[in-house]
Amino acid sequence: MDSVALVRDGLRISALLLAPIVAALVLLGQPDLAIAAVLGGMLGATNLIFLARGISSAIEGTVRGIDEARQARGEQPLAELEGAEAPPEDPTAVRRPIKVGGTFRLLLILLTIGALIVLRPGRPEGIVVGIVVVLLGVGISAHRHNRQR
């Protein structure tokens, strides 16, 4: 399963779910709750991206360690075993640029925290709504990707 596509689709679905909620809140005269929901969506998306990258790096490191141990014993790497899942068609699409990730993550964290500090949503329950919508979007995305397999 392509983790990049899963996260990308999850964020896209989350945005599509959050947009009508925010529009309805604005139309119902609750702009503070709408702003809080958008900030919650940003916070949820930030957490999702960091979690996905961390898990992906951990899995890659584990597989790399297993392959090195197998090669040291003279065995085939995991990718060459019968029935092994084929690598993605474009391996550069899955890899992240070296030394750019840390700067991007720091910028994303500072932007989210800055928005929370500056805008100070009067209705903090909107933040929960945004985070739950992101979780729902990722769940729908995972279900769709699982059905396609």
Side-chain angles (χ1 to χ4, degrees):
M1 179 179 288
D2 186 5
S3 61
V4 174
L6 178 67
V7 171
R8 187 181 311 125
D9 288 347
L11 293 176
R12 185 178 301 129
I13 291 170
S14 299
L16 291 174
L17 290 174
L18 191 59
I21 293 171
V22 169
L25 288 171
V26 170
L27 289 175
L28 292 173
Q30 299 289 328
D32 53 343
L33 192 57
I35 290 171
V38 169
L39 292 176
M42 285 175 54
L43 187 62
T46 303
N47 285 332
L48 173 68
I49 291 169
F50 293 158
L51 180 65
R53 289 196 182 235
I55 289 173
S56 177
S57 295
I59 290 171
E60 287 174 8
T62 301
V63 170
R64 190 172 34 252
I66 291 171
D67 279 343
E68 289 172 1
R70 289 180 64 85
Q71 287 177 347
R73 291 190 308 251
E75 299 174 3
Q76 292 178 325
L78 292 175
E80 295 176 9
L81 293 176
E82 184 177 329
E85 191 173 307
E89 293 177 11
D90 183 12
T92 59
V94 177
R95 303 201 194 300
R96 59 180 178 248
I98 298 173
K99 296 185 181 179
V100 175
T103 305
F104 174 73
R105 287 188 292 255
L106 179 62
L107 181 63
L108 197 57
I109 288 172
L110 291 177
L111 178 67
T112 304
I113 291 173
L116 284 170
I117 290 172
V118 170
L119 297 176
R120 284 188 221 185
R123 306 281 303 270
E125 60 267 28
I127 293 173
V128 175
V129 169
I131 291 172
V132 168
V133 167
V134 170
L135 291 174
L136 182 64
V138 171
I140 291 170
S141 174
H143 179 70
R144 288 179 53 196
H145 280 262
N146 193 27
R147 289 186 70 169
Q148 289 176 356
R149 290 178 69 182

